[in-house]
Amino acid sequence: MGDVRVGACSWTDRQLVTSGWYPRGRRDAEGRLRHYASRLPVVEVDSGYYALPSRRNSELWVERTPDGFRFDVKAFSLLTGHPTRPEALPADLRDAERGPALLDEVWKRFAYAVEPLRAAGRLGAVLFQFPPWFAPGAGAEETLAECAGRTAGWPLAVEFRHPGWWAADRADATAALLTRLGASAVGVDMAQDLPGSLPPVLPVTARSLAVVRFHGRSPQWGRGSKEDRFRYAYDVSELAAWVPRLRRAAGQADELHVLFNNCCADAAVRAAETMRDLLSEPVPSR
């Protein structure tokens, strides 16, 4: 079975910092990361979506974490086709014309920023989360192929928000496409019976890495504030139901990342610790 790493989608979220999970004396930037890395072996850098990451931060993260720790970095919004405010761009690019030249420069700066993580073996995945309007079709497949080309040599993971990608009549084709591109499909856990719900599937499309993100099961998914969308505390039975699927995925991949995105207070890190404990239990004999 592959190496299973369980963690949260942020270690800097304000509500987590004030929740009491970080002990006194370890709530500064360095102390938080060192404490987190002593408890969990992987974390997602969700801030990479909102602003281009900093190379200096990547260097500091390498210094403050042990060998074997993993950072899954979320790709900047402009790279995944999301609306991007000028203020999210570096100051010298805010007045640049939107087009291929700007996109090329943003790709270059993103790669430069995450390179210290890759060089140190800390880069677990670069997560490309595509928007809900990114529907299956020839244009989307061309975009995915371009993304795979630009990220050659990176551990690429792809999360879709349009449910059509994993519909019953399309799922095999989607998995085959990601396999051809060398990309890891990202499975999700989320509320079901909503217009944008994706099924709780976990296809393994790259031998090197499998990824699943737990978003919580709030019925406010897709609308409302962040707190409305992500406020959810998993109970043990909900997590235990995923254990057989996670173990199957771990048997097909060298590494499995299980990440909790229900980032309100300490709900994500507590769920991660519970899932870690569940997965460490002996497999029942038949």
Side-chain angles (χ1 to χ4, degrees):
M1 188 170 75
D3 186 14
V4 180
R5 297 169 178 272
V6 186
C9 290
S10 175
W11 78 96
T12 61
D13 186 83
R14 181 177 58 83
Q15 291 193 25
L16 172 60
V17 174
T18 59
S19 70
W21 189 73
Y22 289 111
R24 290 183 179 179
R26 307 204 77 179
R27 295 175 187 172
D28 63 305
E30 180 174 355
R32 289 194 303 264
L33 182 52
R34 289 190 183 279
H35 178 74
Y36 180 99
S38 73
R39 301 281 291 272
L40 297 165
V42 63
V43 74
E44 182 179 296
V45 183
D46 69 335
S47 59
Y49 170 82
Y50 299 101
L52 278 172
S54 155
R55 185 180 179 95
R56 178 55 182 156
N57 278 345
S58 293
E59 293 168 345
L60 289 172
W61 296 341
V62 169
E63 293 174 10
R64 294 169 179 175
T65 53
D67 289 343
F69 189 84
R70 299 285 190 269
F71 292 90
D72 288 1
V73 182
K74 199 170 182 182
F76 183 51
S77 59
L78 193 70
L79 304 183
T80 53
H82 286 85
T84 301
R85 298 175 296 105
E87 301 79 44
L89 291 163
D92 64 315
L93 298 180
R94 290 173 187 169
D95 294 328
E97 180 181 357
R98 297 293 174 103
L102 174 62
L103 192 60
D104 286 345
E105 181 63 22
V106 169
W107 271 105
K108 183 172 72 173
R109 295 193 188 190
F110 184 86
Y112 178 77
V114 301
E115 175 58 22
L117 297 176
R118 192 203 63 78
R122 301 287 206 285
L123 184 60
V126 180
L127 169 65
F128 282 76
Q129 177 192 291
F130 289 96
W133 55 87
F134 189 76
E141 291 189 17
E142 289 177 7
T143 298
L144 289 168
E146 179 185 0
C147 180
R150 287 185 182 264
T151 59
W154 298 0
L156 171 64
V158 173
E159 178 178 349
F160 297 114
R161 288 292 174 88
H162 190 291
W165 290 98
W166 298 117
D169 61 349
R170 169 76 202 194
D172 288 346
T174 297
L177 171 64
L178 294 179
T179 297
R180 288 196 303 272
L181 296 176
S184 298
V186 176
V188 299
D189 179 90
M190 62 178 297
Q192 298 297 297
D193 302 319
L194 299 175
S197 294
L198 282 86
V201 296
L202 181 50
V204 177
T205 58
R207 177 71 200 185
S208 57
L209 177 67
V211 183
V212 59
R213 299 175 79 228
F214 284 72
H215 295 301
R217 299 179 182 178
S218 169
Q220 298 300 313
W221 178 263
R223 60 184 185 273
S225 66
K226 174 189 173 183
E227 286 72 22
D228 292 333
R229 288 180 282 123
F230 294 103
R231 183 184 294 112
Y232 192 81
Y234 283 98
D235 66 38
V236 174
S237 64
E238 291 169 332
L239 299 178
W242 266 90
V243 168
R245 268 173 285 181
L246 296 176
R247 285 180 170 154
R248 281 196 298 272
Q252 300 170 33
D254 297 332
E255 196 161 296
L256 169 65
H257 291 186
V258 182
L259 292 156
F260 285 86
N261 197 30
N262 53 325
C263 293
C264 283
D266 61 354
V269 291
R270 296 299 182 192
E273 291 174 329
T274 300
M275 181 65 87
R276 175 199 61 200
D277 294 343
L278 288 169
L279 288 167
S280 67
E281 293 177 356
V283 179
S285 58
R286 295 182 179 179

